[in-house]
Amino acid sequence: MIYGATGFTGRLIAAQAVTAGLRPILAGRNPKAVQTLSRNLELPWRAFDLGDEKAPHSLADIDLVLNCAGPFSHTAPHLGQLCVRSKTHYVDIGGELQGLEALQALHQQAQSSQVALVGAAGLAVLPTDCMTRMLLPGLPDASRLTVAIQYSDHPEASLLGSILRALLGMKHGIMVGPGSVATALESLRNRPVLRQDSHLCQVPWASRLLQRPIFRHGPALGVIFPWGDVICAAHSHGIPNVEAYLAVHRWELMAMKCLNLVQPLLRPKILEWLLQRAARHQYAVHFHEGARSTFWIRLENTTGKGVQGRMTHTPSSALAGYDLTVYGSLAVVKHMLEKEIPGGFTTGAGVTGSDIWRSIPGLQWHGEEPAHRL
Ligand SMILES: NC(=O)c1ccc[n+]([C@@H]2O[C@H](COP(=O)([O-])OP(=O)(O)OC[C@H]3O[C@@H](n4cnc5c(N)ncnc54)[C@H](OP(=O)(O)O)[C@@H]3O)[C@@H](O)[C@H]2O)c1
């Protein structure tokens, strides 16, 4: 089953699933939208709200749900719980800390029910998790993980700019789907989180930078960002210190600094109003042709010895990062449908192994790099 199939990413995944020879049941909370989509793709459908009394019944005969309905802070806790109860494997494409924490909280229950709860099987964690698994054997006593992601290396690409454009009702130059705008707005209520001595700590926006240039083209400044590795790397490998960064332009860094000042004024009602305003302005998601995404990690032990490496993703279609999420999540799902999977909270590469990156068109591993101190 694909839940949230009618969203921007859900539709891409549903269409590619059909191309790959799968016949998922399409599902979502809006019966009309699900029915129309299922008619176009000639697939069966089901509609249910996650809080609905009938929701458990809708999952009773399902082997696996791929959750594309975000923000995942809203959907992962409910759908994760429903899956544990109905003994249905769960996979999502999120990367939000609240969604991952909710799944992690169900770990023991999922283990005893032999249900796999797989978080972040998309762009946000899959490549960095694969690299962590590939590099860890070279530094098994690693106590620090640093992750950095550049969403696009086009000089004009800007994640923050895209979100602002969507919120201002502009229709062009936006390279993220509506769900990512909603998720970004949700995260404005919080602060970036890092892991320090096994504890999660909130820090102010733009309070930590990657001083050394990691990215050669496009936005190159690394600024602290709440990527899901902060949860996943600690859960899977017990790494006690994890920091994650996003590549931004200098103006985006200044905007993040200002965010610290306006954040206390951002009441839920204001965020809700901004969201509704953005949702009204339907826009076409636009990507810069040929732009690549870069994923970089460094592992370090307490003596300062390090290993590091990078992957790049050159999309095979005009969908940029979404292409990685579509192929990555479906590769994880295909593996889970074919193999016996142990129960518990894990990641995409946690169930498939680090070689999963080879199934994603355009994703390239550049091998271990000479390590340098940050
Ligand atoms: N990490 C990654 O690799 C990655 C990549 C792409 C997207 N994403 C994430 O995926 C999510 C979806 O993005 P998108 O652009 O596809 O969003 P979208 O076009 O807005 O679609 C969201 C879908 O989720 C459904 N939904 C939202 N809240 C729900 C709830 N509480 N209960 C049930 N269904 C709900 C929506 O249903 P309605 O139409 O009824 O509202 C819609 O079908 C976002 O959180 C985004 O950040 C992550």
Side-chain angles (χ1 to χ4, degrees):
M1 173 183 282
I2 300 178
Y3 190 80
T6 57
F8 177 74
T9 320
R11 283 170 189 270
L12 296 174
I13 292 179
Q16 180 54 32
V18 173
T19 307
L22 298 170
R23 284 199 43 83
I25 297 173
L26 304 183
R29 64 179 168 183
N30 179 338
K32 223 171 169 180
V34 186
Q35 192 180 15
T36 308
L37 181 66
S38 66
R39 208 177 289 140
N40 293 343
L41 294 176
E42 297 180 7
L43 291 172
W45 67 279
R46 256 169 227 188
F48 59 97
D49 202 288
L50 295 176
D52 198 334
E53 269 177 26
K54 290 186 216 137
H57 177 70
S58 306
L59 288 177
D61 59 340
I62 302 295
D63 296 316
L64 184 150
V65 175
L66 174 55
N67 182 16
C68 302
F72 294 92
S73 51
H74 295 195
T75 62
H78 295 295
L79 197 44
Q81 232 158 33
L82 287 170
C83 282
V84 170
R85 258 191 268 155
S86 59
K87 297 198 187 295
T88 303
H89 289 318
Y90 169 100
V91 182
D92 76 33
I93 57 163
E96 292 158 57
L97 304 194
Q98 293 94 331
L100 292 168
E101 280 180 300
L103 295 177
Q104 192 181 24
L106 293 168
H107 179 60
Q108 282 179 349
Q109 272 174 268
Q111 267 184 326
S112 30
S113 306
Q114 295 179 321
V115 168
L117 298 175
V118 178
L123 171 142
V125 172
L126 197 57
T128 47
D129 189 26
C130 287
M131 285 192 284
T132 305
R133 286 164 194 275
M134 287 191 277
L135 291 176
L136 253 181
L139 197 68
D141 61 344
S143 57
R144 178 173 298 280
L145 169 68
T146 310
V147 166
I149 298 181
Q150 186 192 53
Y151 186 53
S152 165
D153 65 0
H154 192 277
E156 286 164 25
S158 155
L159 207 51
L160 199 56
S162 288
I163 290 160
L164 288 176
R165 278 169 175 272
L167 292 177
L168 291 172
M170 295 163 88
K171 293 203 181 228
H172 302 288
I174 303 169
M175 58 179 192
V176 288
S180 298
V181 175
T183 302
L185 267 187
E186 281 272 311
S187 62
L188 288 190
R189 290 185 192 165
N190 304 306
R191 291 175 157 210
V193 171
L194 51 87
R195 189 172 287 276
Q196 210 163 29
D197 299 329
S198 302
H199 298 290
L200 292 176
C201 320
Q202 287 199 348
V203 292
W205 288 98
S207 59
R208 289 191 185 215
L209 299 180
L210 262 190
Q211 296 297 346
R212 201 179 169 104
I214 306 292
F215 306 111
R216 293 177 194 107
H217 309 283
L221 259 174
V223 65
I224 193 89
F225 199 78
W227 294 117
D229 304 80
V230 169
I231 305 286
C232 298
H235 180 84
S236 303
H237 315 295
I239 300 175
N241 300 289
V242 186
E243 289 182 15
Y245 292 82
L246 169 71
V248 293
H249 295 285
R250 198 158 282 282
W251 76 263
E252 291 177 290
L253 179 71
M254 298 312 289
M256 281 180 170
K257 284 189 174 160
C258 294
L259 185 56
N260 291 315
L261 301 175
V262 295
Q263 200 174 31
L265 308 174
L266 290 174
R267 300 275 169 265
K269 271 193 176 165
I270 300 179
L271 293 174
E272 191 55 40
W273 176 78
L274 281 170
L275 252 187
Q276 281 172 3
R277 194 185 140 88
R280 274 200 303 274
H281 291 89
Q282 293 194 340
Y283 58 86
V285 178
H286 163 83
F287 300 104
H288 300 99
E289 212 175 302
R292 297 189 314 175
S293 300
T294 301
F295 307 88
W296 178 94
I297 75 153
R298 175 184 164 84
L299 287 163
E300 202 176 309
N301 67 11
T302 46
T303 68
K305 189 179 172 218
V307 287
Q308 65 187 55
R310 79 180 58 218
M311 281 185 175
T312 50
H313 177 247
T314 313
S316 57
S317 70
L319 296 170
Y322 284 87
D323 195 278
L324 198 163
T325 297
V326 170
Y327 285 105
S329 59
L330 286 175
V332 171
V333 165
K334 197 162 171 285
H335 180 98
M336 291 175 70
L337 293 174
E338 288 167 359
K339 302 258 164 39
E340 201 64 36
I341 304 296
F345 168 64
T346 183
T347 58
V351 281
T352 62
S354 57
D355 262 3
I356 190 71
W357 70 268
R358 295 180 195 277
S359 332
I360 303 172
L363 190 60
Q364 194 182 356
W365 161 237
H366 296 274
E368 195 178 324
E369 294 177 351
H372 51 63
R373 273 190 177 275
L374 290 174

